[in-house]
Amino acid sequence: MHVSRVVIKNFRSLEEVDVSISTGATVVVGENNVGKSNFIQALRLCLDVGLPSSYRMLQKEDVFCQVDQTKPFQVLVGIEFSGFEGNENEEAMLLGTQIGPDKARLFYRFRPKKAVREALADDDFDGELSIEDFSWELAGSGNPNIDLTDIEWDDDLGALGATSFSIQNLQSYLVAFLPALRDVEADLQQNRRSSLARLIDAIGINKAEQEALVKIVASANANIEASPTIKTVAEAIDKSFKDVTGPAFSLDVDLGLSSPTFQSIVRNLIVLLTSDMVKHFEPRRNGLGLNNILYIAILVEHFRQRSAKGRSAGELILIEEPEAHLHPQLQNTLIQSLLEMPFQSIMTTHSTQVTSKAPLSSFVTLTSRPNGAPLARVPSESGLSPSQIEDLERYLDATKSNLLFAKKVMLVEGAAELLLIPPLVKAVLDIDLDRNGISVVAIHGTHFAAYAKMFSQAGMPKPCAIVCDADNPPAEDPLDDDDVPPPPNIEDLEGDYVKAFLGDSTFEIELTHPDNLPLLIKTVNALGAPKIKAALEAQKLRGGPMPVALKKRILSTAKRFGKARFAQVAARYVDEDCHVPPYIERAIGWLLRN
């Protein structure tokens, strides 16, 4: 069983969300303060038995800011499930919530109380509503012809074909929530509801083994209490305690282990680790990152044991920032493990390491809008073909997946543009691209079509400028290879969120401008190219437009040393008197305006 759809209305920063959720792992991404944590908390309102009821009674701050709270409204969180048919436990738990074959629905609503709704219907309510006039309810099922997005605050359950659903009915559906600022070290220390205690309970220990453990502890306790030093210390404490309290409040003091019961043994068990250097040390000697992995491992094993013993009606892990305290390699291994687990997980992240490993179908993106609520989208549903999805999944490595988090994106062909455009623009135009929310992403080719399709109303509705070379060679340099494919028509990719900005030729040729001669001379000198350095110095003395032959030589030099290396060295020498190619300047202007 898995959550297959989420609908949210008017919860915190989320005005309206309607997204499908894939099986396995789902990764929620977006800029800071766009509502990723609110997405997780909305799921908990509807599904998490462990969430105190007081949290389901919302406060003013939990309602979308543009809602007039003096008038009737609702906060709605709707969940649809699939994949439960054939599993007795899951079918039993969802009994009465089905809306079709292998499809069930639960929804949480925070809306005016019944008496208030009746008074409003009879025009018998004076004054303005306050938050105290609202209450929450959980319901299941409903007329499949009435979509979750169509439910209004005054729709009674009977009219919707739905019935009340007790949150306690979800006891067998385990929701584990790991907040972003989690203290896994504290949770690894034993307490009644820790992950270790739940795992021990799930595995089960038979009565005979329990009694044997109690005898071992009782024997150890007796031996400790019989120690002469321990007895002396206990008597000294006992005397001092009685001196302080007086006879009316005194209690006898002994030293020993806690009462030898099986419950006390479980409560006092702790996780012990071993390394090549140290044997049997506690997790607090670990770094936070490794303890994070240890905590998740215990949690996952608890899920496995529940499922194996037939106690489970499904599991869901909600994790904020699984990358917390982890270096890149451990981030990679953790996300790979989560993707391969048989349990559904929904996580939020700011890590390009995490997103580089996740399939495109697993992403839910939250995109901020000026003066409005964020838009939630599933990029894989933006009209991409299967081959385009495969291409994107191959190309969305740790660097390129930065585009999932950016407010605005500049797509460029290769490393040369990636390395040189940001410092050049900062020096000449005094525009810091990062501070303006613009991420430069190199796709290492001209296959912009799949990327462009993602930047749409159905995918990721954020501005995307394609900055591309026309790759037209200089007039004196005709192509002599008949097999060179025609360049793609980049301008055909333009849409509401995508605009193309093309240079007349390659990036290096566009850089070969009189104002950039000092930059180019220092660059080729640092690279060790004395002949082209002499030619550039001669051109500087001569003045005038740059000859086509000299432009060709700059391009040839960049290719010989490597375009990325050429750009990396050139970035050292940018200054305010340099020249930014016009097509790049136009692209930045467009991004800043949108």
Side-chain angles (χ1 to χ4, degrees), residues 173-245:
Y173 181 71
L174 181 58
V175 176
F177 171 58
L178 281 69
L181 299 175
R182 50 191 175 271
D183 186 355
V184 294
E185 181 180 311
D187 198 83
L188 287 169
Q189 299 301 311
Q190 209 14 241
N191 62 68
R192 187 173 60 88
R193 294 303 303 159
S194 78
S195 55
L196 179 59
R198 292 195 296 260
L199 175 56
I200 292 171
D201 179 65
I203 291 176
I205 299 178
N206 63 48
K207 191 71 174 177
E209 189 174 356
Q210 289 184 28
E211 291 174 353
L213 290 172
V214 170
K215 287 181 180 178
I216 292 170
V217 175
S219 175
N221 209 0
N223 290 334
I224 290 171
E225 291 174 357
S227 164
T229 303
I230 296 296
K231 289 179 69 175
T232 299
V233 172
E235 290 169 357
I237 296 174
D238 181 67
K239 181 179 183 303
S240 179
F241 181 68
K242 288 181 169 62
D243 288 344
V244 173
T245 62

Coordinates of all heavy atoms in Angstrom, one line a residue, residues 173-245:
Y173 N -1.0 1.4 10.8 CA -0.2 2.0 9.8 C 0.8 2.9 10.4 O 0.5 4.0 11.0 CB -1.2 2.8 8.9 CG -0.5 3.6 7.7 CD1 -0.1 2.9 6.6 CD2 -0.4 4.9 7.7 CE1 0.5 3.5 5.6 CE2 0.2 5.6 6.7 CZ 0.6 4.9 5.6 OH 1.2 5.5 4.5
L174 N 2.0 2.5 10.4 CA 3.1 3.2 11.2 C 3.7 4.3 10.4 O 4.2 4.1 9.3 CB 4.2 2.2 11.6 CG 5.3 2.8 12.4 CD1 4.8 3.4 13.7 CD2 6.4 1.7 12.7
V175 N 3.6 5.5 10.9 CA 4.2 6.7 10.3 C 5.3 7.1 11.2 O 5.2 7.4 12.4 CB 3.2 7.9 10.2 CG1 3.9 9.1 9.7 CG2 2.0 7.5 9.3
A176 N 6.5 7.1 10.7 CA 7.7 7.5 11.4 C 8.2 8.9 10.9 O 8.4 9.0 9.7 CB 8.9 6.5 11.3
F177 N 8.3 9.9 11.8 CA 8.7 11.2 11.4 C 10.0 11.6 11.9 O 10.2 11.5 13.1 CB 7.6 12.2 11.8 CG 8.0 13.7 11.7 CD1 8.3 14.2 10.4 CD2 8.1 14.5 12.8 CE1 8.7 15.5 10.3 CE2 8.4 15.8 12.6 CZ 8.7 16.3 11.4
L178 N 10.9 12.0 11.1 CA 12.3 12.4 11.5 C 12.4 13.9 11.1 O 12.6 14.2 9.9 CB 13.4 11.6 10.8 CG 13.7 10.2 11.4 CD1 12.5 9.3 11.1 CD2 15.0 9.7 10.7
P179 N 12.3 14.8 12.1 CA 12.4 16.3 11.8 C 13.8 16.6 11.3 O 14.8 15.9 11.5 CB 12.0 16.9 13.1 CG 12.4 15.9 14.1 CD 12.2 14.6 13.5
A180 N 13.9 17.8 10.8 CA 15.2 18.3 10.3 C 16.2 18.4 11.4 O 17.4 18.0 11.3 CB 15.0 19.6 9.5
L181 N 15.8 19.1 12.5 CA 16.7 19.3 13.6 C 16.5 18.2 14.6 O 16.1 18.4 15.8 CB 16.4 20.7 14.2 CG 16.6 21.8 13.3 CD1 16.2 23.2 14.0 CD2 18.1 21.9 12.8
R182 N 16.8 17.0 14.2 CA 16.5 15.8 15.1 C 17.7 15.5 16.0 O 18.9 15.7 15.6 CB 16.2 14.6 14.3 CG 17.2 14.2 13.2 CD 16.6 13.2 12.2 NE 17.4 12.9 11.1 CZ 17.3 13.6 9.9 NH1 16.4 14.5 9.8 NH2 18.0 13.3 8.9
D183 N 17.4 15.0 17.2 CA 18.5 14.6 18.2 C 18.5 13.1 18.2 O 17.9 12.5 19.1 CB 18.2 15.3 19.5 CG 19.3 15.0 20.5 OD1 20.2 14.3 20.2 OD2 19.2 15.5 21.6
V184 N 19.1 12.5 17.2 CA 19.1 11.0 17.2 C 19.9 10.4 18.4 O 19.6 9.3 18.8 CB 19.7 10.5 15.9 CG1 18.7 10.9 14.7 CG2 21.1 11.0 15.6
E185 N 20.9 11.2 18.9 CA 21.7 10.6 20.0 C 20.8 10.4 21.2 O 20.8 9.4 21.9 CB 22.8 11.6 20.3 CG 23.7 11.1 21.5 CD 24.8 12.0 21.8 OE1 25.5 12.5 20.9 OE2 25.0 12.4 23.0
A186 N 19.9 11.4 21.4 CA 19.0 11.3 22.6 C 18.0 10.1 22.4 O 17.7 9.4 23.3 CB 18.2 12.6 22.8
D187 N 17.5 10.0 21.1 CA 16.6 8.9 20.9 C 17.2 7.5 21.0 O 16.5 6.5 21.3 CB 15.9 9.1 19.6 CG 14.6 8.3 19.5 OD1 13.6 8.8 19.9 OD2 14.7 7.2 18.9
L188 N 18.5 7.4 20.6 CA 19.2 6.2 20.7 C 19.4 5.7 22.2 O 19.5 4.6 22.5 CB 20.5 6.2 20.0 CG 20.5 6.2 18.5 CD1 21.8 6.6 17.9 CD2 20.0 4.9 18.0
Q189 N 19.4 6.7 23.1 CA 19.4 6.4 24.5 C 18.0 5.8 24.9 O 17.0 6.4 24.5 CB 19.7 7.6 25.4 CG 21.0 8.2 25.1 CD 22.2 7.2 25.3 OE1 22.2 6.6 26.4 NE2 23.1 7.1 24.4
Q190 N 18.0 4.8 25.6 CA 16.7 4.0 25.8 C 15.6 4.8 26.5 O 15.9 5.4 27.5 CB 17.1 2.8 26.6 CG 16.3 1.5 26.4 CD 15.4 1.5 25.1 OE1 14.2 1.4 25.3 NE2 16.0 1.6 24.0
N191 N 14.5 4.8 26.0 CA 13.3 5.2 26.6 C 12.1 4.4 26.1 O 12.2 3.7 25.1 CB 13.1 6.7 26.5 CG 12.9 7.2 25.0 OD1 11.9 6.8 24.4 ND2 13.9 7.9 24.5
R192 N 10.9 4.7 26.7 CA 9.8 3.8 26.4 C 9.4 3.8 24.9 O 9.0 2.8 24.4 CB 8.6 4.3 27.2 CG 7.4 3.3 27.2 CD 6.3 3.8 28.2 NE 5.9 5.1 27.9 CZ 4.9 5.4 27.1 NH1 4.2 4.5 26.4 NH2 4.5 6.7 26.9
R193 N 9.5 4.9 24.2 CA 9.1 5.0 22.8 C 10.2 5.1 21.8 O 10.0 5.5 20.7 CB 8.1 6.2 22.7 CG 6.8 6.1 23.4 CD 6.0 4.9 23.0 NE 5.8 4.8 21.6 CZ 5.5 3.7 21.0 NH1 5.5 2.5 21.6 NH2 5.2 3.7 19.7
S194 N 11.4 4.8 22.2 CA 12.5 4.9 21.3 C 12.4 3.8 20.2 O 11.7 2.8 20.3 CB 13.8 4.7 22.1 OG 14.1 3.3 22.3
S195 N 13.2 4.0 19.1 CA 13.1 3.1 18.0 C 13.7 1.7 18.4 O 13.2 0.7 17.9 CB 14.0 3.7 16.9 OG 15.3 4.0 17.3
L196 N 14.6 1.7 19.4 CA 15.2 0.4 19.8 C 14.1 -0.4 20.6 O 13.9 -1.6 20.4 CB 16.4 0.6 20.7 CG 17.1 -0.6 21.2 CD1 17.5 -1.6 20.1 CD2 18.3 -0.3 22.1
A197 N 13.4 0.3 21.5 CA 12.3 -0.3 22.3 C 11.3 -0.9 21.3 O 10.8 -2.0 21.5 CB 11.7 0.7 23.3
R198 N 10.9 -0.1 20.3 CA 9.9 -0.6 19.4 C 10.4 -1.8 18.6 O 9.6 -2.8 18.3 CB 9.4 0.5 18.4 CG 8.7 1.6 19.1 CD 8.0 2.5 18.1 NE 8.9 3.2 17.3 CZ 9.3 4.4 17.4 NH1 8.8 5.2 18.4 NH2 10.1 5.0 16.6
L199 N 11.7 -1.8 18.2 CA 12.2 -2.9 17.5 C 12.2 -4.2 18.4 O 11.9 -5.3 17.9 CB 13.7 -2.6 17.0 CG 14.4 -3.7 16.4 CD1 13.7 -4.2 15.1 CD2 15.8 -3.2 16.0
I200 N 12.6 -4.1 19.6 CA 12.6 -5.2 20.5 C 11.2 -5.8 20.7 O 11.0 -7.0 20.6 CB 13.2 -4.8 21.9 CG1 14.7 -4.5 21.7 CG2 13.0 -6.0 22.9 CD1 15.3 -3.9 23.0
D201 N 10.3 -4.9 20.8 CA 8.9 -5.3 20.9 C 8.4 -6.0 19.6 O 7.7 -7.0 19.7 CB 8.0 -4.1 21.2 CG 6.5 -4.5 21.3 OD1 6.2 -5.2 22.3 OD2 5.7 -4.1 20.5
A202 N 8.8 -5.5 18.5 CA 8.4 -6.1 17.2 C 9.0 -7.5 17.0 O 8.4 -8.4 16.5 CB 8.8 -5.2 16.0
I203 N 10.3 -7.7 17.4 CA 10.9 -9.0 17.3 C 10.3 -10.0 18.3 O 10.0 -11.1 17.9 CB 12.4 -8.9 17.5 CG1 13.1 -8.1 16.4 CG2 13.1 -10.2 17.7 CD1 14.6 -7.8 16.6
G204 N 10.1 -9.5 19.5 CA 9.4 -10.4 20.5 C 10.4 -11.3 21.2 O 11.3 -11.9 20.6
I205 N 10.3 -11.4 22.5 CA 11.1 -12.4 23.3 C 10.2 -13.2 24.1 O 9.3 -12.7 24.9 CB 12.1 -11.6 24.3 CG1 13.0 -10.7 23.4 CG2 12.9 -12.5 25.1 CD1 14.0 -9.8 24.3
N206 N 10.4 -14.6 24.0 CA 9.4 -15.5 24.7 C 9.6 -15.4 26.2 O 10.5 -14.9 26.7 CB 9.6 -16.9 24.1 CG 10.9 -17.5 24.4 OD1 11.4 -17.4 25.5 ND2 11.5 -18.1 23.4
K207 N 8.6 -16.0 26.9 CA 8.5 -15.9 28.3 C 9.7 -16.5 29.0 O 10.3 -16.0 29.9 CB 7.2 -16.6 28.8 CG 6.9 -16.3 30.2 CD 6.4 -14.9 30.4 CE 5.9 -14.6 31.8 NZ 5.5 -13.2 32.0
A208 N 10.1 -17.7 28.5 CA 11.3 -18.4 29.1 C 12.5 -17.5 29.0 O 13.3 -17.4 30.0 CB 11.5 -19.7 28.4
E209 N 12.8 -16.9 27.9 CA 14.0 -16.1 27.7 C 13.9 -14.8 28.6 O 14.9 -14.4 29.2 CB 14.2 -15.7 26.3 CG 15.5 -15.0 26.0 CD 15.8 -14.8 24.5 OE1 14.9 -15.2 23.7 OE2 16.8 -14.2 24.2
Q210 N 12.7 -14.3 28.7 CA 12.5 -13.1 29.6 C 12.8 -13.5 31.1 O 13.6 -12.7 31.8 CB 11.0 -12.6 29.6 CG 10.6 -12.0 28.2 CD 9.2 -11.4 28.3 OE1 8.7 -11.1 29.4 NE2 8.6 -11.4 27.1
E211 N 12.4 -14.6 31.5 CA 12.6 -15.0 32.9 C 14.1 -15.3 33.1 O 14.7 -15.0 34.2 CB 11.8 -16.3 33.2 CG 10.3 -16.0 33.3 CD 9.5 -17.3 33.5 OE1 10.1 -18.4 33.4 OE2 8.3 -17.2 33.7
A212 N 14.8 -15.9 32.1 CA 16.2 -16.1 32.2 C 17.0 -14.8 32.4 O 17.9 -14.7 33.2 CB 16.7 -16.9 31.0
L213 N 16.6 -13.8 31.6 CA 17.3 -12.5 31.7 C 17.1 -11.8 33.0 O 18.0 -11.2 33.6 CB 16.7 -11.6 30.6 CG 17.1 -11.9 29.1 CD1 16.4 -11.1 28.1 CD2 18.6 -11.8 28.9
V214 N 15.8 -12.0 33.6 CA 15.6 -11.4 34.9 C 16.4 -12.0 36.0 O 16.9 -11.4 36.9 CB 14.0 -11.5 35.2 CG1 13.8 -11.1 36.7 CG2 13.2 -10.6 34.3
K215 N 16.6 -13.4 35.9 CA 17.4 -14.1 36.9 C 18.9 -13.6 36.8 O 19.5 -13.4 37.9 CB 17.4 -15.6 36.6 CG 16.0 -16.2 37.0 CD 16.1 -17.7 36.8 CE 14.7 -18.3 37.2 NZ 14.7 -19.8 36.9
I216 N 19.4 -13.4 35.6 CA 20.8 -12.9 35.4 C 20.9 -11.5 36.1 O 21.9 -11.3 36.9 CB 21.1 -12.8 33.9 CG1 21.2 -14.2 33.3 CG2 22.4 -12.1 33.7 CD1 21.3 -14.2 31.8
V217 N 20.0 -10.6 35.9 CA 20.1 -9.3 36.5 C 19.9 -9.4 38.0 O 20.6 -8.7 38.7 CB 19.0 -8.3 35.8 CG1 19.0 -7.0 36.5 CG2 19.3 -8.2 34.4
A218 N 19.0 -10.2 38.5 CA 18.8 -10.3 39.9 C 20.0 -10.8 40.6 O 20.4 -10.4 41.7 CB 17.6 -11.3 40.2
S219 N 20.7 -11.8 40.0 CA 22.0 -12.3 40.6 C 23.0 -11.2 40.6 O 23.7 -11.1 41.6 CB 22.4 -13.5 39.7 OG 23.7 -14.0 40.2
A220 N 23.1 -10.5 39.5 CA 24.1 -9.4 39.4 C 23.8 -8.3 40.5 O 24.7 -7.8 41.1 CB 24.1 -8.8 38.0
N221 N 22.5 -8.0 40.7 CA 22.1 -7.0 41.6 C 22.5 -7.5 43.0 O 23.1 -6.7 43.9 CB 20.6 -6.8 41.6 CG 20.2 -5.4 42.0 OD1 21.0 -4.6 42.3 ND2 18.9 -5.2 41.9
A222 N 22.3 -8.7 43.4 CA 22.6 -9.3 44.7 C 24.1 -9.2 44.9 O 24.6 -8.8 46.0 CB 22.1 -10.7 44.8
N223 N 24.9 -9.5 43.9 CA 26.4 -9.5 44.1 C 26.9 -8.0 44.3 O 27.8 -7.8 45.1 CB 27.1 -10.1 42.9 CG 26.9 -11.6 42.8 OD1 26.7 -12.2 43.8 ND2 26.9 -12.1 41.6
I224 N 26.3 -7.1 43.6 CA 26.7 -5.7 43.7 C 26.3 -5.2 45.1 O 27.1 -4.5 45.8 CB 26.0 -4.9 42.6 CG1 26.6 -5.2 41.3 CG2 26.1 -3.4 42.9 CD1 25.9 -4.6 40.1
E225 N 25.1 -5.5 45.6 CA 24.7 -5.0 46.9 C 25.5 -5.6 48.0 O 25.7 -5.0 49.1 CB 23.2 -5.3 47.1 CG 22.3 -4.5 46.2 CD 20.8 -5.0 46.3 OE1 20.6 -6.0 47.0 OE2 20.0 -4.4 45.7
A226 N 26.1 -6.8 47.8 CA 26.9 -7.5 48.8 C 28.3 -7.0 48.9 O 29.0 -7.3 49.8 CB 26.9 -9.0 48.5
S227 N 28.7 -6.1 48.0 CA 30.1 -5.5 48.0 C 30.2 -4.7 49.2 O 29.4 -3.8 49.5 CB 30.3 -4.7 46.7 OG 31.4 -3.9 46.9
P228 N 31.3 -4.9 50.0 CA 31.5 -4.1 51.3 C 31.5 -2.6 51.0 O 31.0 -1.8 51.8 CB 32.8 -4.7 51.8 CG 33.0 -6.0 51.2 CD 32.3 -6.0 49.9
T229 N 32.2 -2.2 49.9 CA 32.3 -0.8 49.7 C 31.0 -0.2 49.3 O 30.6 0.9 49.8 CB 33.3 -0.5 48.5 OG1 34.6 -1.1 48.9 CG2 33.5 1.0 48.2
I230 N 30.2 -0.9 48.5 CA 28.9 -0.4 48.1 C 28.0 -0.3 49.3 O 27.2 0.6 49.5 CB 28.2 -1.4 47.1 CG1 29.0 -1.4 45.7 CG2 26.8 -1.0 46.8 CD1 29.1 0.0 45.0
K231 N 28.1 -1.3 50.2 CA 27.3 -1.3 51.5 C 27.7 -0.1 52.3 O 26.8 0.6 52.9 CB 27.5 -2.6 52.3 CG 26.8 -3.8 51.6 CD 27.0 -5.1 52.4 CE 26.3 -5.0 53.7 NZ 26.4 -6.3 54.4
T232 N 29.0 0.2 52.4 CA 29.4 1.4 53.2 C 28.9 2.7 52.7 O 28.4 3.6 53.4 CB 31.0 1.4 53.3 OG1 31.4 0.1 53.9 CG2 31.5 2.6 54.1
V233 N 29.0 2.8 51.3 CA 28.5 4.0 50.7 C 27.0 4.2 50.9 O 26.5 5.3 51.2 CB 28.9 4.0 49.2 CG1 28.2 5.2 48.5 CG2 30.4 4.0 49.0
A234 N 26.3 3.0 50.7 CA 24.8 3.1 50.9 C 24.4 3.5 52.3 O 23.5 4.3 52.5 CB 24.2 1.7 50.6
E235 N 25.2 3.0 53.3 CA 24.9 3.4 54.7 C 25.2 4.8 55.0 O 24.4 5.5 55.7 CB 25.7 2.5 55.7 CG 25.2 1.0 55.7 CD 26.2 0.1 56.4 OE1 27.3 0.6 56.9 OE2 25.9 -1.1 56.5
A236 N 26.3 5.3 54.4 CA 26.6 6.8 54.6 C 25.5 7.7 54.0 O 25.1 8.7 54.6 CB 28.0 7.0 53.9
I237 N 25.1 7.3 52.8 CA 24.0 8.1 52.1 C 22.7 8.0 52.9 O 22.0 9.0 53.1 CB 23.8 7.6 50.7 CG1 25.1 7.9 49.8 CG2 22.6 8.3 50.0 CD1 25.0 7.3 48.4
D238 N 22.4 6.8 53.4 CA 21.2 6.6 54.2 C 21.2 7.5 55.4 O 20.2 8.2 55.7 CB 21.1 5.2 54.6 CG 19.8 4.9 55.4 OD1 18.7 5.0 54.8 OD2 19.9 4.6 56.6
K239 N 22.3 7.6 56.1 CA 22.4 8.4 57.4 C 22.3 9.9 57.0 O 21.6 10.6 57.7 CB 23.8 8.1 58.1 CG 24.0 8.9 59.3 CD 25.3 8.6 60.0 CE 25.4 9.3 61.3 NZ 25.2 10.8 61.2
S240 N 23.0 10.3 56.0 CA 22.9 11.7 55.6 C 21.5 12.1 55.2 O 21.0 13.2 55.5 CB 23.9 12.0 54.5 OG 23.9 13.3 54.1
F241 N 20.9 11.2 54.4 CA 19.5 11.5 54.0 C 18.5 11.7 55.1 O 17.7 12.6 55.2 CB 19.1 10.4 53.0 CG 17.7 10.5 52.5 CD1 17.4 11.5 51.6 CD2 16.6 9.7 52.9 CE1 16.1 11.7 51.0 CE2 15.4 9.8 52.4 CZ 15.1 10.8 51.4
K242 N 18.7 10.8 56.1 CA 17.8 10.8 57.3 C 18.1 12.1 58.1 O 17.1 12.7 58.7 CB 17.9 9.6 58.1 CG 17.3 8.3 57.5 CD 17.4 7.1 58.4 CE 16.6 5.9 57.9 NZ 16.9 5.5 56.6
D243 N 19.3 12.5 58.2 CA 19.7 13.7 58.9 C 19.0 14.9 58.3 O 18.6 15.8 59.0 CB 21.2 13.9 58.9 CG 21.9 12.9 59.9 OD1 21.2 12.3 60.7 OD2 23.1 12.8 59.7
V244 N 18.9 14.9 57.0 CA 18.3 16.1 56.3 C 16.8 16.1 56.4 O 16.2 17.1 56.6 CB 18.8 16.1 54.8 CG1 18.1 17.1 54.0 CG2 20.3 16.3 54.7
T245 N 16.2 14.9 56.2 CA 14.7 14.8 56.1 C 14.1 14.8 57.4 O 12.9 15.3 57.6 CB 14.3 13.6 55.3 OG1 14.7 12.4 56.0 CG2 14.9 13.6 53.9

